[in-house]
Amino acid sequence: MNAYTAVTRASYLAYLRDRTSVIFTFAFPLVFLIVFGMIFQGQAVDGGLSYINYIAPGVLSWGIGNAALFGVAFTLMHWRRDDLLRLIWRTPTPLPTVLGARYAVALGTGLVQAVLFTAVALAAFGLHLSGSWPLALPVLVFGITAFAALGLVVGTLANTPEAVAAIANCVMVPMAFLSGAFYPIDLMPGWLQGLSRALPLRYFDEGVTDAVGGRGGIALPFLDCAALTGFTLVFALIAAKTFRWSNRN
Amino acid sequence: MSTGDGRPDAAVALDGVRKRYGTVQALDGVSLTVERGEFFGILGPNGAGKTTLVEIVEGLRTPDSGTVSVLGESPWPRNTALLRRLGIQTQSSAFFTRLTAREHLETVAALYRLERPAALRALDLVDLGDQADRRIDQLSGGQRQRLALATALIHEPELIFLDEPTAALDPAARRSLWEVLRALKGDGRTIVHTTHHLDEAEALCDRVAIVARGAVLAVDSPRHLIKSLSAPTTLRVPAYRLGVEDVRDLPGVESAGIEGGELVISTHTANQVLLALGDLVDLEEITTRTATLEDAYLALTTTEQCRS
């Protein structure tokens, strides 16, 4: 068993054995789907999409981004607080291998979330999948990556679980509305629409919405992927610059 | 700040090592040498600089000045070849979340690029084989401490640092861990051991360093440290057998008095006094207490506190 496989296994086991956390990771976006479904039922929003084709991609991308950010941030905070980072520091395994293993868990979680969520949206809410839906897959991968990288920044900043929750909520809840995931972007004032361009969720949501709704052809989701890569690089750079092996000094 | 090349054969060689954090002088000119194969104790009150010392030796921190050589190499910048030869058990036990003892050790083994059997071997070494498949959060404090030791030993390091490895153990578990440590020394490993248990240091260590306020106050074998104290031996005899006036003038007796129903005699020449007492009472009724490492430790660390 190489180090990457071993840490991936350890992270999966740690994740799956926290049953409550697993259930709520998957239930959380579904709750929002139902709530927003009731609010927007029967309306056409965001340039003529049926409400479910607007709401489902928005809630899905937010729920997946949220889970990736929280998961990675909690893990990094715990590893540092429990001195596991220092244990890793003493071994010949490079840190990127260990973080890469945790990233694999975030990726797996996000993809399972997407399948489950889409199944419910199809079966219960009449979501329409256009022929270009597979284009949503690369967007999901790049989106999870960007939010996992943001999780590294939060996990480096926060020393306690309470701090992780406070910072992550403060980032994710306003972003849900400002990026157009929870609230149609064309109903916002012009300057807020401009601001949404500075948020990773805008591209994540847009890429999934366009792929699922069959808008914008092939090029658009890939532009969103490029933007998400830009965010990933910025977050990874900030995380690398601020990284700490230990909470002491 | 440079690497000591004076003693490449030593396990650890520190010379004039200083480290300051803000206004706190954590290490104030520490010089000491640990020989290969030695069982070396570091004794000192909390805040004496023990943790900083270990962190410098593993290369996690660099000293402000002084030279450091570990197994003939410089520990910094992060020296993975050297770290592979070091086993470090800290007090904050680092375990992967929600795993069993075996799963945790298999993960650590993989980080060291070892095969899975290394995990079970390490568990057996600390006598935890029967707990392999229990979740770590269900283990007792003593079992967790042994698991932390197994974690530090999994890659069979040459030089082992143990930070109070027996702190949470009951007396029987402590003794069984002593046997593990003695066996490691028997294998030719070098062990550096910080402890508050002076009886443990006396029982296990070839030499001990007594540190306080970032400085080494004394380094020697426990026996020599006790001897250099030149503390008197006390002999106790039931008071109904003998009175103070019977022994006061015997050769070698320095003082005599009654304490808790016993006649207490203080002497530096216990043999001479015992010979003389043998004529007066049955020798089996006499209890002898010689100075311990604790006396030496207290004598050294209290003088230090008085001076500052």
Side-chain angles (χ1 to χ4, degrees):
Chain A
M1 203 166 48
N2 66 31
Y4 180 81
T5 316
V7 180
T8 306
R9 182 184 79 139
S11 303
Y12 263 110
L13 289 174
Y15 177 70
L16 292 177
R17 284 174 187 169
D18 186 5
R19 289 283 158 74
T20 317
S21 173
V22 172
I23 290 167
F24 280 91
T25 303
F26 291 103
F28 199 23
L30 291 175
V31 170
F32 274 106
L33 182 69
I34 292 162
V35 170
F36 283 108
M38 292 189 295
I39 293 174
F40 289 104
Q41 186 138 38
Q43 298 179 36
V45 286
D46 194 15
L49 285 175
S50 75
Y51 83 95
I52 187 66
N53 270 57
Y54 157 70
I55 272 305
V59 172
L60 175 67
S61 52
W62 180 81
I64 287 178
N66 199 51
L69 188 158
F70 267 90
V72 169
F74 270 123
T75 301
L76 184 58
M77 181 278 302
H78 273 296
W79 281 356
R80 192 175 57 248
R81 193 183 63 174
D82 297 348
D83 268 349
L84 274 165
L85 284 185
R86 291 181 52 170
L87 187 151
I88 292 161
W89 182 87
R90 292 186 194 112
T91 72
T93 301
L95 186 67
T97 305
V98 176
L99 294 179
R102 183 58 186 80
Y103 166 68
V105 176
L107 211 53
T109 310
L111 294 176
V112 173
Q113 272 183 299
V115 169
L116 190 73
F117 184 90
T118 309
V120 173
L122 282 170
F125 293 90
L127 175 72
H128 171 74
L129 283 184
S130 83
S132 64
W133 74 264
L135 287 173
L137 291 176
V139 181
L140 282 174
V141 171
F142 283 92
I144 294 164
T145 311
F147 281 91
L150 186 54
L152 288 180
V153 176
V154 175
T156 298
L157 202 62
N159 282 341
T160 61
E162 291 82 358
V164 169
I167 299 169
N169 280 325
C170 193
V171 169
M172 288 308 292
V173 176
M175 191 167 7
F177 292 94
L178 294 176
S179 66
F182 282 10
Y183 189 78
I185 208 134
D186 51 0
L187 298 180
M188 291 185 196
W191 68 275
L192 268 185
Q193 294 189 22
L195 179 74
S196 72
R197 290 271 162 214
L199 303 171
L201 191 58
R202 162 83 199 239
Y203 303 93
F204 194 0
D205 174 29
E206 192 175 75
V208 177
T209 306
D210 290 344
V212 171
R215 296 195 305 189
I218 283 195
L220 215 51
F222 282 98
L223 281 176
D224 292 316
C225 289
L228 287 169
T229 306
F231 280 106
T232 303
L233 292 176
V234 171
F235 295 146
L237 191 71
I238 296 171
K241 288 283 176 199
T242 54
F243 184 82
R244 294 172 294 146
W245 287 100
S246 162
N247 286 345
R248 290 184 290 276
N249 295 293
Chain B
M1 184 183 90
S2 64
T3 305
D5 43 14
R7 290 289 313 277
D9 55 317
V12 181
L14 302 174
D15 191 21
V17 171
R18 288 172 201 278
K19 181 74 184 180
R20 172 185 282 275
Y21 304 120
T23 57
V24 180
Q25 189 74 47
L27 295 178
D28 194 8
V30 169
S31 300
L32 55 86
T33 306
V34 179
E35 303 297 339
R36 296 203 188 193
E38 193 169 28
F39 204 131
F40 193 88
I42 298 179
L43 311 182
N46 291 328
K50 292 174 291 186
T51 305
T52 305
L53 201 61
V54 174
E55 287 177 345
I56 284 176
V57 168
E58 61 172 318
L60 199 65
R61 298 183 192 283
T62 50
D64 300 330
S65 64
T67 63
V68 178
S69 165
V70 182
L71 298 169
E73 294 189 44
S74 169
W76 65 83
R78 178 179 170 220
N79 185 338
T80 45
L82 176 63
L83 283 166
R84 182 66 186 71
R85 300 162 71 194
L86 306 185
I88 294 155
Q89 187 228 316
T90 57
Q91 282 188 61
S92 57
S93 306
F95 301 123
F96 282 95
T97 321
R98 288 186 285 277
L99 297 191
T100 65
R102 182 212 305 264
E103 288 162 351
H104 161 73
L105 285 175
E106 282 175 352
T107 311
V108 177
L111 289 171
Y112 277 108
R113 299 173 178 164
L114 304 169
E115 295 302 316
R116 282 191 189 196
L120 282 181
R121 197 175 56 226
L123 276 175
D124 286 337
L125 185 66
V126 298
D127 205 15
L128 217 53
D130 53 340
Q131 305 292 328
D133 295 316
R134 275 185 78 192
R135 286 265 293 271
I136 296 169
D137 42 20
Q138 290 162 3
L139 297 178
S140 72
Q143 288 168 334
R144 286 162 71 95
Q145 202 146 18
R146 278 187 281 159
L147 182 61
L149 183 63
T151 308
L153 298 177
I154 193 161
H155 55 300
E156 302 188 302
E158 290 166 51
L159 173 56
I160 301 162
F161 290 87
L162 304 173
D163 196 1
E164 299 186 27
T166 61
L169 302 185
D170 61 53
R174 258 180 89 205
R175 295 295 168 134
S176 86
L177 197 71
W178 286 12
E179 290 317 308
V180 174
L181 299 180
R182 285 196 177 110
L184 288 169
K185 178 184 156 59
D187 269 5
R189 324 283 181 90
T190 310
I191 301 171
V192 178
H193 179 203
T194 70
T195 182
H196 283 313
H197 292 295
L198 294 136
D199 59 329
E200 187 164 296
E202 201 171 339
L204 294 172
C205 296
D206 299 317
R207 286 192 306 152
V208 296
I210 295 178
V211 296
R213 290 168 188 273
V216 178
L217 304 180
V219 186
D220 213 330
S221 66
R223 208 161 54 89
H224 277 125
L225 278 175
I226 296 159
K227 215 171 172 185
S228 67
L229 250 192
S230 62
T233 301
T234 42
L235 306 174
R236 290 170 178 267
V237 193
Y240 60 86
R241 287 288 183 195
L242 289 173
V244 173
E245 61 285 356
D246 295 320
V247 297
R248 190 187 286 142
D249 298 322
L250 292 177
V253 172
E254 283 150 33
S255 68
I258 302 289
E259 250 178 53
E262 286 182 316
L263 173 65
V264 181
I265 303 165
S266 186
T267 174
H268 276 90
T269 50
N271 283 347
Q272 191 184 15
V273 177
L274 279 170
L275 262 170
L277 285 176
D279 296 336
L280 303 172
V281 290
D282 189 344
L283 279 180
E284 284 183 7
E285 289 186 284
I286 305 172
T287 50
T288 312
R289 182 187 176 275
T290 52
T292 64
L293 188 57
E294 192 162 339
D295 298 313
Y297 172 84
L298 288 174
L300 281 162
T301 50
T302 3
T303 15
E304 170 66 16
Q305 272 156 17
C306 294
R307 254 192 286 147
S308 54

